[in-house]
């Protein structure tokens, strides 16, 4: 059932984004009296699941869920209809239009994605407001990765300031370190002393290379709140409210310590826990993911504050969320071009797994807004076969006064298509490898 819920949300979000992206091309094409022959959700190689002709345009749904397209007359695109290009140019064709009109048509999809992302973020802010956690509302402080302990941080630290300013949400610390260039953190140690610790300017690259993406984790007491049915823990007799006090006779106090202990275990573990004031001990064999099927109680761990926004207040807040989403995505995009980044690229399974296993409209729209921004940026990349490739050639024409010949555009389209297929195979191949490994 969880897989079905994830898949349903993914397909619904993807379909929504594809239709609106293509509508971004369709509307200016019609405004400039350019003929649109097809408007398709998904690709229709050989046959369609649905199609209907209205006026001069065939609207349809293909059977290959890898995207969608509008086929514009007189344009070398995914259809590779080169026969049409051999005929004399007609007034209604894309190639007959002035360069500025062609540029607007090609940018329409990307612009639609960015506008959509902004509108969704505005809607989310207005409908659901924003949750945030202030520095002193992390009751037990943070558990610190060893890499950051070398800089002077300690388990139990409470983070007070980012670069000298109090953060809106202190749990953003990992994201800000990786993407937004934090160079100092002011912390309150458990001994009551406050210290400002300097951080290397290239901390994002250090985190990436060492695989430390969550250097600060909220410390949670090792009290069990949930036991998954048929899990190793349930079969061993573990119950809700049991307090884990040792793993393999090594004392632990927080959940972070517990997960670290069992992560390195390949066989059974000896689990000591406290129930109703008495200690008990059981042997449990973790599953292949080094889990035993329990989740902690977060009661009295965090104080989550909430802010509601009026409609007018939600407009600048939604704009800010969209802009920072784009900036963060661009910042992390550079890691794709590293050896590690190539193996980290995810395909449809990875994207589908972003969605929660239970239906949540807030989560659905939040992820859809992110994917819309991501889709807009990716389509702007100057790769032939993407909108950015067409924009690049049109800008070249506008600057140089020379239009690339149709044969060159045809070969460029083929090259771009091969690049995209290769990236698609790499991304989904990574998904399959991770799935079975």
């Amino acid at each position: 059932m969880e897989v079905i819920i994830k898949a349903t949300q993914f397909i619904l979000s993807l379909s929504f984004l594809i239709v609106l992206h293509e509508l971004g091309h369709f509307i200016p094409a019609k405004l400039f009296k350019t003929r649109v022959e097809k408007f398709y959700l998904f690709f229709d190689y050989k046959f369609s699941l649905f199609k209907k002709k209205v006026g001069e345009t065939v609207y349809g749904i293909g059977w290959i869920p890898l995207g969608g397209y509008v086929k514009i007359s007189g344009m070398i695109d995914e259809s590779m209809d080169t026969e049409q290009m051999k005929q004399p140019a007609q007034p209604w064709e894309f190639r007959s239009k002035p360069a500025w009109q062609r540029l607007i048509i090609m940018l329409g999809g990307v612009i639609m994605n960015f506008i959509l992302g902004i509108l969704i973020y505005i809607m989310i802010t207005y409908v659901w407001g924003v949750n945030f956690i202030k520095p002193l509302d992390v009751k037990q402080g943070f558990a610190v990765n060893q890499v950051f302990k070398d800089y002077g941080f300690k388990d139990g630290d409470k983070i007070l300031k980012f670069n000298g300013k109090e953060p809106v949400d202190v749990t953003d610390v990992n994201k800000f370190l990786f993407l937004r260039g934090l160079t100092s953190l002011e912390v309150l140690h458990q001994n009551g002393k406050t210290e400002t610790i300097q951080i290397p300017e290239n901390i994002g690259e250090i985190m990436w290379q060492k695989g430390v993406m969550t250097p600060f984790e909220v410390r949670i007491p090792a009290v069990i709140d949930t036991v998954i049915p048929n899990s190793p823990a349930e079969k061993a007799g573990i119950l809700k409210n049991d307090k884990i006090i040792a793993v393999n006779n090594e004392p632990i106090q927080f959940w972070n310590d517990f997960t670290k202990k069992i992560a390195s275990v390949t066989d059974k573990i000896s689990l000591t826990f406290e129930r109703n004031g008495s200690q008990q001990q059981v042997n449990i064999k973790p599953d292949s993911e080094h889990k035993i099927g329990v989740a902690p109680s977060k009661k009295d761990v965090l104080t989550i504050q909430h802010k509601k926004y009026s409609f007018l207040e939600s407009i600048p807040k939604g704009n800010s969320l969209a802009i920072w989403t784009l900036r963060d995505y661009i910042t992390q995009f550079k890691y794709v071009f590293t050896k590690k980044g190539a193996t980290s690229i995810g395909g449809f399974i990875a994207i589908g797994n972003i969605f929660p296993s239970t239906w949540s409209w807030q989560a659905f729209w939040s992820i859809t807004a992110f994917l819309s921004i991501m889709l807009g940026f990716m389509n702007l990349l100057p790769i032939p076969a993407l909108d950015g490739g067409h924009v690049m050639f049109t800008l070249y024409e506008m600057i140089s006064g020379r239009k690339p010949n149709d044969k060159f555009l045809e070969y460029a389209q083929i090259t771009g298509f091969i690049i995209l297929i290769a990236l698609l195979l790499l991304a989904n191949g990574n998904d399959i490898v991770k799935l079975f490994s």
Side-chain angles (χ1 to χ4, degrees):
M1 181 58 72
E2 290 183 359
V3 174
I4 293 174
I5 292 173
K6 283 175 176 279
T8 301
Q9 292 178 92
F10 174 50
I11 294 171
L12 180 62
S13 176
L14 184 66
S15 301
F16 178 68
L17 293 176
I18 291 170
V19 169
L20 288 179
H21 176 89
E22 300 305 335
L23 195 64
H25 297 302
F26 181 86
I27 291 173
K30 285 293 187 181
L31 287 175
F32 297 135
K33 302 188 185 309
T34 309
R35 181 175 296 175
V36 180
E37 299 174 13
K38 285 185 174 184
F39 187 120
Y40 259 75
L41 169 64
F42 305 149
F43 293 111
D44 59 325
Y45 180 71
K46 296 296 185 182
F47 70 92
S48 305
L49 298 177
F50 164 83
K51 66 178 179 179
K52 181 178 180 61
K53 188 170 185 178
V54 180
E56 61 190 17
T57 305
V58 175
Y59 300 87
I61 301 175
W63 63 278
I64 306 175
L66 298 179
Y69 70 99
V70 288
K71 185 179 185 305
I72 300 174
S73 294
M75 176 181 173
I76 298 176
D77 56 12
E78 297 93 338
S79 66
M80 296 305 294
D81 186 2
T82 56
E83 289 302 315
Q84 184 182 69
M85 305 303 290
K86 294 177 182 178
Q87 307 300 319
Q90 302 298 321
W92 61 80
E93 290 186 337
F94 180 80
R95 55 181 166 163
S96 299
K97 302 302 176 181
W100 67 271
Q101 291 186 5
R102 284 184 275 122
L103 182 65
I104 292 174
I105 292 172
M106 293 318 305
L107 284 173
V110 170
I111 292 171
M112 180 70 82
N113 283 133
F114 290 144
I115 291 175
L116 178 63
I118 292 170
L119 292 177
I120 294 176
Y121 277 125
I122 290 172
M123 181 268 291
I124 291 171
T125 304
Y126 176 65
V127 174
W128 288 288
V130 174
N131 291 333
F132 59 94
I133 299 168
K134 302 301 286 183
L136 296 180
D137 289 339
V138 182
K139 306 300 184 183
Q140 303 288 343
F142 288 90
V144 183
N145 182 276
Q146 184 58 52
V147 172
F148 277 70
K149 285 181 180 178
D150 294 340
Y151 298 130
F153 297 100
K154 299 177 177 66
D155 286 330
D157 282 350
K158 293 184 178 181
I159 300 172
L160 304 179
K161 293 181 180 179
F162 297 178
N163 287 352
K165 296 181 180 179
E166 181 178 322
V168 174
D169 188 338
V170 71
T171 58
D172 283 335
V173 61
N174 296 316
K175 178 173 70 175
F176 278 43
L177 282 166
F178 185 54
L179 299 173
R180 302 194 186 177
L182 288 188
T183 55
S184 71
L185 291 175
E186 183 180 307
V187 298
L188 175 64
H189 295 304
Q190 284 189 300
N191 61 10
K193 292 184 178 180
T194 300
E195 181 183 4
T196 299
I197 299 176
Q198 301 302 314
I199 302 166
E201 291 185 0
N202 64 335
I203 190 62
E205 295 176 13
I206 294 172
M207 291 169 63
W208 176 254
Q209 292 301 327
K210 296 192 175 184
V212 181
M213 306 314 295
T214 53
F216 294 94
E217 296 182 68
V218 174
R219 292 210 299 182
I220 302 170
V223 178
I224 293 172
D225 180 68
T226 304
V227 181
I228 298 173
N230 299 316
S231 65
E234 186 190 55
K235 293 174 182 177
I238 300 297
L239 301 176
K240 180 176 179 176
N241 295 324
D242 286 347
K243 181 180 180 181
I244 302 171
I245 57 178
V247 175
N248 292 338
N249 297 318
E250 295 182 27
I252 66 166
Q253 184 179 1
F254 295 100
W255 196 262
N256 318 79
D257 303 321
F258 167 65
T259 56
K260 287 177 184 176
K261 293 286 187 187
I262 67 171
S264 58
V265 173
T266 57
D267 201 359
K268 288 185 178 180
I269 60 170
S270 174
L271 191 69
T272 306
F273 60 93
E274 186 179 287
R275 180 186 297 168
N276 298 325
S278 63
Q279 291 187 13
Q280 299 184 40
Q281 192 173 58
V282 294
N283 292 323
I284 302 178
K285 182 176 176 58
D287 61 21
S288 59
E289 296 181 349
H290 298 279
K291 297 178 180 179
I292 64 171
V294 291
S297 170
K298 297 182 180 180
K299 184 179 180 181
D300 299 327
V301 173
L302 298 170
T303 299
I304 300 175
Q305 301 190 43
H306 182 78
K307 181 177 180 180
K308 290 287 291 181
Y309 288 82
S310 69
F311 179 72
L312 290 179
E313 289 173 331
S314 69
I315 294 174
K317 181 63 177 178
N319 269 282
S320 177
L321 287 171
I323 291 169
W324 276 110
T325 297
L326 178 59
R327 288 182 63 175
D328 288 345
Y329 190 77
I330 293 172
T331 300
Q332 70 179 5
F333 189 72
K334 64 183 179 183
Y335 296 110
V336 172
F337 301 100
T338 65
K339 183 178 179 180
K340 183 179 177 181
T343 60
S344 301
I345 297 173
F348 294 119
I349 294 175
I351 297 173
N353 279 331
I354 299 175
F355 291 91
S357 55
T358 55
W359 194 279
S360 165
W361 280 113
Q362 183 178 2
F364 172 83
W365 286 116
S366 180
I367 295 167
T368 298
F370 165 73
L371 292 177
S372 187
I373 298 292
M374 183 185 77
L375 183 63
F377 171 74
M378 293 298 291
N379 265 284
L380 262 183
L381 295 178
I383 300 174
L386 289 180
D387 295 344
H390 293 289
V391 168
M392 176 178 63
F393 294 134
T394 305
L395 288 174
Y396 167 80
E397 176 188 346
M398 294 174 73
I399 294 169
S400 68
R402 298 191 302 273
K403 184 178 180 180
N405 66 61
D406 291 341
K407 205 65 179 176
F408 170 81
L409 294 175
E410 180 184 337
Y411 288 139
Q413 187 76 9
I414 293 171
T415 302
F417 189 72
I418 292 171
I419 292 172
L420 294 181
I421 291 295
L423 290 173
L424 192 65
L425 291 173
L426 173 63
N428 288 283
N430 285 341
D431 280 355
I432 294 171
V433 170
K434 292 172 185 174
L435 186 65
F436 287 101
S437 64

